[in-house]
Every structure is written in structure tokens, then in C-alpha cells.
Amino acid sequence: GGTEIGSARCMEFKERPGRLKAAKNLVQLGITNLIAIGGDGSLTGANMFRQEWPSLLRELIDTGHIGPEKLNSCSHLNIVGLVGSIDNDFCGTDMTIGVDTALHRILESVDEIMTTAVSHKRAFVLEIMGRMCGYLPLVAGISSEASMVFIPEDPPTGDWRQSLCDDIREKSKADARRTQIVLVAEGAIDRFGNTIKCADVQRVLADRMNLDVRVTVLGHVQRGGKASAFDRIIVSLYHSYTSWYSEEYDLS
């Protein structure tokens, strides 16, 4: 959910003049090895910076901002990227840093909401973060035994409104005491590409099933709090790997 030093990829870095300024700062400090920890935006920016490094270096030399001797001493920019993202949407990873902690926050929130849901016989619709990735709501839905989950990767077929009502009726027949919890991903869509919002689900349950429905947007609550044991272990393993990598390939 953030960093100890409060760093972030600034808007200036998204344009070449900003990356040129960054290259100048690194060269002047003699830094050619970076560890970038972040999500899609941060790592995309780091990769672009790495790709442009030779041309940035040449431009700095041509404009007289650095001496030509830097072309050899700083010819390569080495970057180790660590994926810190609750979305779990980065290719080549099984579980990115922060996902397990976010799942814990979601399940804690569902458990706490259940107190009100059960006592007041209310249905709850929760919006789950994750942009266009439905991993968090899907796994949270399985873990919490949610009535239904809407995710962008698997749009509901047919009339999702009718399917939602039919499904909830069946579950209510099996257990009259059951409380209805519906999880909706940020990027949830129907089969026509139309967005499915929590307000849409709330309206369907209220109008068609006469349920007392409340909407809860977890938002950045998911991204905060103490890291889970699993995430702490992942970070420790990453730290051990990068230390070994630096020694093995002498990146100092």
C-alpha cells in the first residue's frame, strides 16, 4: 500500500525529459544498479528506462551534461524488478508481494460484516480492488463462501440479473438462515462488455427479491495493515536472491 520512504513513480518520469534527468542524476552519483519494487506502472517505467539508457547516456554526452568517459563506466543499467502488487496480474509470477495480505484484509472485512448481516438479515455487496484482474474477489469468494462473485475474466452468460436471483433463491432454500454476500471486482463486466457495478447488483437484489441490501467498498483498506506471514517470507526470499545475484555477478 505504500513505501517506508514515501517514494513513487512521478509524473515527470513518464516523459523522456524526466527520464533524461533521472539518468543524469544516476550517472553523477555513479549508480548503475537498481532494485525496483512496485506494480505494473513502476516496473513498466523501470523497463522503459533500461531500454532507453544507451540513448539517454548518448544525449547527455552530446549536450555536455556528462563527460564522454561515463560512456564506459556507466554503459549498462542493471535492474532487478520485484513485483509488489495486490492485483496478482504480472506474467511469470504465482503470487506477487502483497496479495496474501490483501486476501487476509478482505476475509477479515467479510467476517466483520457478517455480524451485521446475520443480526439484521441484510445482504451485502462488496467491491473488491484489483483493476482488471479478478484473482482477489475469486479467491476471497471461495474462502468466504460468497453467494456470487463477478470478475472480468469470466463474464456471466445470459441475463446475469436473473441468474443472480435464481442462484440466491436456490441457496436460500438449502439454508434459510444463509446471509447473502456478493463480491464484485472493480473491472467486472457482462458478456457485452458493460460494467457491472455494486449499485447495479444492489438494485437487482432490492427490486427483484425485496432484500435489504448494503454496499461496502473496501478500497484501500485492502492495501494496508501488517503483512501476512506468507508475504514476509516472500520478501525475505527475494532479499536473499537479490543478495546472491549481486555477489554472483558482481553488480557492485
Side-chain angles (χ1 to χ4, degrees):
T3 67
E4 290 288 342
I5 61 175
S7 61
R9 186 163 67 111
C10 65
M11 295 300 294
E12 188 179 2
F13 191 76
K14 293 183 178 182
E15 305 295 334
R16 184 178 172 88
R19 295 191 291 274
L20 187 68
K21 180 180 177 181
K24 177 184 175 183
N25 291 338
L26 290 182
V27 170
Q28 288 180 337
L29 293 171
I31 298 173
T32 55
N33 303 306
L34 296 176
I35 297 177
I37 307 174
D40 180 64
S42 297
L43 295 183
T44 297
N47 186 50
M48 181 178 294
F49 191 44
R50 180 190 60 81
Q51 291 174 336
E52 290 183 342
W53 184 258
S55 63
L56 293 172
L57 213 61
R58 174 52 63 184
E59 185 173 342
L60 289 171
I61 292 173
D62 291 343
T63 54
H65 286 93
I66 61 174
E69 71 281 356
K70 296 293 185 181
L71 191 61
N72 291 325
S73 60
C74 301
S75 60
H76 296 287
L77 178 65
N78 303 298
I79 295 181
V80 175
L82 306 184
V83 188
S85 170
I86 67 167
D87 301 338
N88 205 30
D89 59 352
F90 209 88
C91 178
T93 62
D94 293 321
M95 185 81 81
T96 57
I97 300 171
V99 172
D100 189 66
T101 300
L103 282 172
H104 277 67
R105 295 292 92 79
I106 295 170
L107 291 177
E108 287 171 357
S109 299
V110 172
D111 289 343
E112 290 166 359
I113 283 173
M114 288 295 288
T115 303
T116 299
V118 171
S119 63
H120 295 284
K121 297 298 185 289
R122 286 174 178 160
F124 274 84
V125 183
L126 278 67
E127 180 181 286
I128 309 298
M129 291 180 76
R131 296 198 299 178
M132 294 307 295
C133 182
Y135 181 87
L136 284 179
L138 177 62
V139 177
I142 295 172
S143 305
S144 64
E145 297 184 343
S147 302
M148 185 168 282
V149 177
F150 291 95
I151 59 176
E153 294 92 338
D154 186 23
T157 58
D159 184 355
W160 67 264
R161 295 170 178 83
Q162 189 60 47
S163 297
L164 173 62
C165 295
D166 292 343
D167 197 54
I168 286 181
R169 286 192 185 96
E170 287 299 316
K171 289 180 170 63
S172 297
K173 288 179 183 178
D175 184 359
R177 298 170 299 173
R178 181 182 176 90
T179 299
Q180 308 304 331
I181 301 290
V182 179
L183 305 185
V184 181
E186 276 184 317
I189 56 174
D190 64 18
R191 64 191 180 97
F192 300 108
N194 301 312
T195 58
I196 299 176
K197 297 294 185 182
C198 288
D200 301 327
V201 177
Q202 180 187 32
R203 194 176 303 112
V204 170
L205 295 178
D207 295 347
R208 299 192 184 190
M209 303 197 67
N210 199 32
L211 294 176
D212 185 7
V213 189
R214 296 291 188 272
V215 172
T216 298
V217 179
L218 297 185
H220 287 77
V221 169
Q222 292 176 221
R223 295 163 56 93
K226 297 295 184 181
S228 66
F230 184 81
D231 273 331
R232 297 182 195 199
I233 291 170
I234 286 182
V235 173
S236 299
L237 291 174
Y238 273 133
H239 179 268
S240 298
Y241 173 74
T242 52
S243 297
W244 169 84
Y245 188 89
S246 297
E247 294 173 2
E248 185 75 11
Y249 293 96
D250 190 22
L251 297 184
S252 62

